[in-house]
């Protein structure tokens, strides 16, 4: 890949990562509940989903999903339903003022956080459609394809990890003062719950 083309990829990938979405909301929620360091497990789950999307597109299956209204809608509504479920659960969550229960929340298993991050991103067929339009801009057919896809995947994942962890998870730190009392926790839970539901609804209705 030409260096100038790679720089364009870095710029585009950065802009995309900074665009708020379900992944950003999930990352901030994890950072608030489990802490900045442990939020990385949810981010890694999101990257696993991103890699799966890239592989799907690279193998040409993405074209099939994008051209099949039934397959696309099944995945789209499943993803929307999952986000709405997460939002309702977050909205109804009770404040955790008890030290023992708060500690349990902070000690959520890493695999659980990873899985949630995976499903938040993988149940988004729009990502497949996006990569179908995005990836060809940075792939040249006259050069080895596997190497180019590896470069694109490594670049996009590295950018997304940095943005999610150091920007969105880091930003969540500023909200930690609200977690010291029941009212503040209730406000945060409802705020993130509404955001999750909103993203889910948008995923379902926007074409």
């Amino acid at each position: 890949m030409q260096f100038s083309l790679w720089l364009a990829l870095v710029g585009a990938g950065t802009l995309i990562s900074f665009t708020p979405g379900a992944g950003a909301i999930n990352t901030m929620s994890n950072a608030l509940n489990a802490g900045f360091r442990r939020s990385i497990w949810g981010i890694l789950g999101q990257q696993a989903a991103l890699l799966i999307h890239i592989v799907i597109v690279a193998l040409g299956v993405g074209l099939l999903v994008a051209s099949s209204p039934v397959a696309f809608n099944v995945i789209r509504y499943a993803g929307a339903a999952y986000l709405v479920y997460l939002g309702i659960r977050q909205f109804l969550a009770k404040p955790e003022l008890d030290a023992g229960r708060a500690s349990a929340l902070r000690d959520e298993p890493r695999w659980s956080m990873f899985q949630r991050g995976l499903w938040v991103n993988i149940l988004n067929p729009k990502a497949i459609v996006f990569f179908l339009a995005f990836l060809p801009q940075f792939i040249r057919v006259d050069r080895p394809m596997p190497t180019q896809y590896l470069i694109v995947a490594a670049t996009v994942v590295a950018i997304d990890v940095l943005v999610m962890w150091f920007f969105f998870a880091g930003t969540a730190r500023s909200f930690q003062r609200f977690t010291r009392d029941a009212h503040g926790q209730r406000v945060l839970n409802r705020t993130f719950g509404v955001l999750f539901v909103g993203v889910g609804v948008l995923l379902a209705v926007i074409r």
Side-chain angles (χ1 to χ4, degrees):
M1 181 178 292
Q2 294 179 336
F3 184 66
S4 58
L5 187 61
W6 181 78
L7 287 179
L9 173 64
V10 170
T14 301
L15 288 176
I16 294 165
S17 292
F18 272 109
T19 303
I25 297 170
N26 185 61
T27 297
M28 295 181 71
S29 177
N30 284 338
L32 278 170
N33 291 328
F36 172 77
R37 291 183 179 180
R38 300 188 76 250
S39 67
I40 188 63
W41 295 102
I43 295 173
L44 292 178
Q46 293 168 198
Q47 304 317 306
L50 185 151
L51 289 175
I52 291 173
H53 282 145
I54 292 178
V55 170
I56 289 174
V57 171
L59 294 177
V61 180
L63 184 61
L64 175 63
V65 174
S67 61
S68 172
V70 175
F72 182 85
N73 285 327
V74 167
I75 301 175
R76 178 161 65 97
Y77 289 124
Y82 183 66
L83 290 175
V84 170
Y85 160 74
L86 288 179
I88 293 175
R89 190 177 69 173
Q90 184 82 28
F91 189 91
L92 298 177
K94 296 181 179 180
E96 298 289 350
L97 296 179
D98 179 79
R101 295 180 66 186
S103 177
L105 190 62
R106 288 194 300 270
D107 294 334
E108 179 184 2
R110 298 169 181 175
W111 178 239
S112 174
M113 298 173 67
F114 181 93
Q115 283 183 306
R116 187 167 62 252
L118 175 71
W119 288 112
V120 162
N121 268 8
I122 206 170
L123 290 174
N124 182 6
K126 291 183 183 296
I128 299 178
V129 177
F130 168 78
F131 278 120
L132 275 173
F134 178 78
L135 291 183
Q137 312 303 320
F138 303 96
I139 301 295
R140 294 185 57 176
V141 295
D142 59 335
R143 298 192 176 185
M145 303 288 281
T147 304
Q148 294 183 77
Y149 275 113
L150 284 175
I151 292 173
V152 170
T155 301
V156 172
V157 166
I159 291 172
D160 203 51
V161 168
L162 291 174
V163 171
M164 287 294 157
W165 207 19
F166 291 102
F167 180 75
F168 287 111
T171 299
R173 287 179 169 180
S174 62
F175 295 106
Q176 285 183 338
R177 65 180 182 276
F178 291 106
T179 64
R180 297 171 184 170
D181 58 64
H183 175 71
Q185 289 186 25
R186 192 174 294 110
V187 170
L188 281 180
N189 285 337
R190 291 180 178 177
T191 298
F192 280 99
V194 169
L195 288 174
F196 267 119
V197 171
V199 173
V201 171
L202 286 176
L203 180 63
V205 302
I206 294 180
R207 296 181 179 273

